[in-house]
């Protein structure tokens, strides 16, 4: 019998989705499952985006340009410039989600066995993208005790080798919700200049910032134009996860020329989704104001409720809509599966994402889970109560 590739064997499972079969079984036996495991917002997609595809009159569903519709890229450039990001149309290639943008970024800057340094915990699929690209992830650990702040630059420097090609950050972070300060971004900028590395910044949660803080983009740092690569997406900004539209952005013309060859190889991003994404740029500011207010309320509710559970430790997120919670259990994978297989509280249970899958260091994060506060406040309160009661039973 033919064998699958080593790369196929090494591709990691998604810690976010691997428990889905257990949740499906729980639902079939009549248990209600509150999904805290996945960053699927329940916020309505802007009407202007939905109407653009409802009312469209297309006779032939054609390919678009490999870089995406010119009209979309021009309007996207205008959107960025309105938000003080110096990004022109030639700096943008539209991709099939932020995921493809990350694959293009790795493919354009790294060869097999090259290394990329990533502060962990990090978005679990970075492991998958790196494996698919033949790239080695070198983790630098941030801790819950420090609120998942940027590790000391000395910790980065001692990991840099001749194989190191890039540093990758998510700002604000998935799964931690940490928002890198302007000072931290400048520290990274000096580091990549010193060692001639790329700085790849996944900024898909840019709009989700709380407490009066401001997002600072790598595209705003003078002097690293040839080092900086930004990843973006419509998935979270407009609650359009199913559109699968993102982009890779850089001032580095060689990077963009290489990324363009990857874009040509997959032909073009999806037409209908680009139409909706272009229309979404007309979304009024009032939409975002309401969304940010709602997510801040949810964050405050979730953190307050979690802090009432004995033995639970949680860092307050400054952005995005996730937090990492340290639980009084030895193995969060086992606990998360048990919640779905063997437990319910008045016919209800919760689904969380075990956090070990958000690390590449072995045996780290085994007692942590990622929680996405994408449910309404009443459901978050119910979910944390279920979690509190479940921990009592599980630890007996």
């Amino acid at each position: 019998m033919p064998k699958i590739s080593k790369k196929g064997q090494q591709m990691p499972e998604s810690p976010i989705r691997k428990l889905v079969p257990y949740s499906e079984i729980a639902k079939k036996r009549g248990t209600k499952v509150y999904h805290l495991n996945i960053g699927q917002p329940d916020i309505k997609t802007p009407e202007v985006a939905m109407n653009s595809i409802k009312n469209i009159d297309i006779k032939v569903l054609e390919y678009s340009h490999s870089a995406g519709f010119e009209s979309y890229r021009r309007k996207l450039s205008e959107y960025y410039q309105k938000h003080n990001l110096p990004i022109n149309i030639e700096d943008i290639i539209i991709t099939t989600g932020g995921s493809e943008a990350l694959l293009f970024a790795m493919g354009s800057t790294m060869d097999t066995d090259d290394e990329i340094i990533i502060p962990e915990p990090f978005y679990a699929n970075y492991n998958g993208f790196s494996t698919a690209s033949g790239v080695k992830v070198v983790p630098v650990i941030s801790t819950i005790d420090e609120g998942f702040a940027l590790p000391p630059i000395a910790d980065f420097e001692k990991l840099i080798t001749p194989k190191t090609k890039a540093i990758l950050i998510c700002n604000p972070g998935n799964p931690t919700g940490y928002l890198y300060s302007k000072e931290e971004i400048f520290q990274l900028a000096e580091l990549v200049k010193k060692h001639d590395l790329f700085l790849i910044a996944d900024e898909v949660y840019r709009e989700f910032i709380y407490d009066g803080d401001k997002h600072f983009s790598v595209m705003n740092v003078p002097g690293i134009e040839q080092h900086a690569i930004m990843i973006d997406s419509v998935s979270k900004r407009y609650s359009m996860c199913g559109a699968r539209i993102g982009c890779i952005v850089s001032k580095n013309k060689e990077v963009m020329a290489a990324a363009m060859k990857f874009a040509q190889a997959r032909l073009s991003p999806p037409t209908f989704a680009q139409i909706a994404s272009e229309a979404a740029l007309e979304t009024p500011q009032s939409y975002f104001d309401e969304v940010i207010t709602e997510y801040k309320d949810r964050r405050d509710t979730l953190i307050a409720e979690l802090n009432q559970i004995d033995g639970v430790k949680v860092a307050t997120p400054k952005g995005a809509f996730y937090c990492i919670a340290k639980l009084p259990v030895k193995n969060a994978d086992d606990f998360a599966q048990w919640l779905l297989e063997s437990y319910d509280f008045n016919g209800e249970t919760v689904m969380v994402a075990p956090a070990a899958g958000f690390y590449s260091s072995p045996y780290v994060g085994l007692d942590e889970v990622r929680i996405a506060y994408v449910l309404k406040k009443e459901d978050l309160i119910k979910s944390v109560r279920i979690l509190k009661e479940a921990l009592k039973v599980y630890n007996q």
Side-chain angles (χ1 to χ4, degrees):
M1 177 177 168
K3 294 184 177 179
I4 67 167
S5 66
K6 288 182 181 178
K7 189 181 288 185
Q9 293 171 356
Q10 292 166 357
M11 277 293 286
E13 281 187 303
S14 167
I16 307 163
R17 296 174 183 270
K18 69 180 183 180
L19 295 173
V20 167
Y22 299 103
S23 71
E24 290 173 343
I25 292 169
K27 290 172 187 175
K28 284 178 182 176
R29 69 170 183 263
T31 302
K32 180 173 182 176
V33 178
Y34 290 99
H35 285 272
L36 304 176
N37 63 304
I38 193 165
Q40 171 57 63
D42 64 351
I43 304 294
K44 282 189 176 180
T45 303
E47 285 186 20
V48 66
M50 300 303 289
N51 289 338
S52 70
I53 50 177
K54 285 179 185 173
N55 303 327
I56 198 160
D57 180 21
I58 288 181
K59 300 294 188 289
V60 178
L61 198 58
E62 298 176 335
Y63 290 121
S64 76
H65 190 289
S66 292
F69 292 145
E70 182 179 343
S71 59
Y72 178 34
R73 285 181 284 130
R74 181 178 295 108
K75 288 180 183 177
L76 195 53
S77 168
E78 292 169 0
Y79 170 85
Y80 287 135
Q81 291 180 19
K82 189 170 71 174
H83 289 80
N84 300 313
L85 296 175
I87 296 169
N88 301 315
I89 184 171
E90 64 268 19
D91 304 327
I92 303 169
I93 292 176
I94 305 303
T95 57
T96 308
S99 300
E100 188 176 66
L102 279 158
L103 285 166
F104 285 4
M106 289 185 181
S108 300
T109 62
M110 285 166 258
D111 292 312
T112 301
D113 296 328
D114 280 342
E115 297 172 355
I116 183 168
I117 298 175
I118 314 178
E120 63 177 359
F122 52 73
Y123 176 46
N125 282 335
Y126 294 166
N127 274 325
F129 302 147
S130 300
T131 300
S133 302
V135 172
K136 180 184 177 185
V137 170
V138 178
V140 55
I141 297 178
S142 63
T143 66
I144 195 167
D145 292 330
E146 298 293 329
F148 298 110
L150 185 74
I153 290 299
D155 290 359
F156 284 88
E157 287 211 279
K158 65 186 180 185
L159 297 173
I160 294 173
T161 74
K163 288 278 191 182
T164 308
K165 291 297 177 68
I167 294 170
L168 169 60
I169 61 169
C170 186
N171 187 34
N174 173 8
T176 64
Y178 185 78
L179 176 69
Y180 291 106
S181 67
K182 180 178 179 179
E183 291 72 25
E184 288 172 322
I185 297 297
F186 268 90
Q187 287 176 30
L188 289 172
E190 289 302 315
L191 184 65
V192 298
K193 281 196 292 185
K194 178 180 177 181
H195 294 278
D196 202 23
L197 306 174
F198 290 102
L199 178 56
I200 305 172
D202 182 345
E203 299 186 358
V204 304
Y205 297 97
R206 182 189 303 105
E207 278 74 19
F208 303 95
I209 311 295
Y210 314 116
D211 306 322
D213 287 324
K214 302 292 183 184
H215 181 267
F216 191 77
S217 173
V218 295
M219 301 304 293
N220 282 129
V221 183
I224 64 163
E225 290 83 3
Q226 301 307 305
H227 302 262
I229 300 171
M230 186 182 86
I231 307 299
D232 205 359
S233 169
V234 305
S235 291
K236 314 302 180 179
R237 179 178 300 133
Y238 303 111
S239 194
M240 290 172 60
C241 295
R244 309 312 308 134
I245 292 293
C247 63
I248 177 172
V249 178
S250 182
K251 295 284 184 184
N252 186 312
K253 295 191 182 303
E254 289 188 3
V255 167
M256 295 307 284
M260 187 59 180
K261 289 186 277 189
F262 284 96
Q264 290 168 343
R266 64 83 166 99
L267 304 183
S268 67
T271 294
F272 278 139
Q274 285 188 85
I275 292 168
S277 299
E278 182 174 331
L281 291 168
E282 303 299 324
T283 302
Q285 183 58 40
S286 58
Y287 172 89
F288 297 107
D289 294 340
E290 291 173 11
V291 168
I292 297 304
T293 299
E294 176 64 22
Y295 275 126
K296 183 184 181 300
D297 287 348
R298 292 178 182 188
R299 180 204 65 174
D300 293 345
T301 298
L302 175 66
I303 299 303
E305 294 295 319
L306 286 171
N307 279 328
Q308 293 180 36
I309 305 178
D310 287 341
V312 169
K313 188 174 197 175
V314 60
T316 301
K318 298 178 181 181
F321 36 69
Y322 309 99
C323 69
I324 291 283
K326 194 179 187 74
L327 304 181
V329 299
K330 287 184 178 180
N331 189 314
D333 267 279
D334 179 77
F335 175 63
Q337 185 172 326
W338 174 84
L339 280 168
L340 297 168
E341 268 193 317
S342 308
Y343 181 78
D344 72 84
F345 180 71
N346 296 331
E348 300 179 331
T349 192
V350 295
M351 187 175 181
V352 294
F358 296 90
Y359 293 83
S360 63
S361 297
Y363 312 116
V364 180
L366 295 177
D367 58 352
E368 297 174 357
V369 295
R370 185 192 77 167
I371 295 175
Y373 44 96
V374 292
L375 305 179
K376 60 186 180 181
K377 286 184 288 184
E378 295 82 358
D379 288 346
L380 288 173
I381 292 169
K382 286 182 185 177
S383 298
V384 178
R385 185 184 178 194
I386 293 166
L387 195 62
K388 181 178 182 178
E389 298 302 321
L391 283 166
K392 291 178 187 175
V393 176
Y394 183 79
N395 285 325
Q396 287 173 358

